[in-house]
Amino acid sequence: MKREKRLTKRERKALAPARPAAPHQHKHIHCVACGRHLDEVEFGVQGTATWLQCLHRSRFASCVECAEVSKRLLAEHDRTGQPVQSAQAWH
Ligand SMILES: [Zn+2]
Ligand SMILES: [Zn+2]
Ligand SMILES: [Zn+2]
């Protein structure tokens, strides 16, 4: 018997892309502390954005201004093992 091309609901779900809100997305970068959208160019030398790393070597973006708050969030995440309590992304 020939296999139907149509997918079952479950198969379609399995093929669906991961939730867009995932914190480690690369294209859409937001400050972990304030949620501001950061452009690639802001990460340049003396830019207004920077990358921070937690103890698991995951990278998190942050405004330079927010770096202290962001570091505290990462430290809290490393201490508790909970996901980083990042701010709601906004534009
Ligand atoms: Zn920020
Ligand atoms: Zn964005
Ligand atoms: Zn981590």
Side-chain angles (χ1 to χ4, degrees):
M1 194 172 87
K2 245 191 169 177
R3 267 205 114 191
E4 271 274 3
K5 246 195 174 165
R6 271 180 54 180
L7 301 172
T8 66
K9 238 184 204 169
R10 197 189 293 144
E11 281 170 332
R12 249 182 289 141
K13 214 172 180 184
L15 287 176
R19 283 185 306 153
H24 285 99
Q25 281 250 321
H26 282 268
K27 281 289 162 212
H28 228 33
I29 309 164
H30 288 259
C31 171
V32 73
C34 73
R36 183 171 75 83
H37 180 92
L38 305 171
D39 279 315
E40 302 270 2
V41 293
E42 295 189 62
F43 291 88
V45 183
Q46 303 201 334
T48 48
T50 185
W51 287 105
L52 300 171
Q53 228 176 40
C54 72
L55 293 182
H56 316 97
R57 298 185 158 250
S58 294
R59 294 205 304 164
F60 296 89
S62 172
C63 311
V64 168
E65 274 178 37
C66 295
E68 287 311 311
V69 181
S70 299
K71 280 178 197 167
R72 234 179 292 146
L73 287 170
L74 297 197
E76 178 78 0
H77 144 80
D78 284 324
R79 192 174 61 79
T80 61
Q82 296 296 307
V84 176
Q85 299 291 303
S86 49
Q88 175 106 49
W90 59 278
H91 290 108

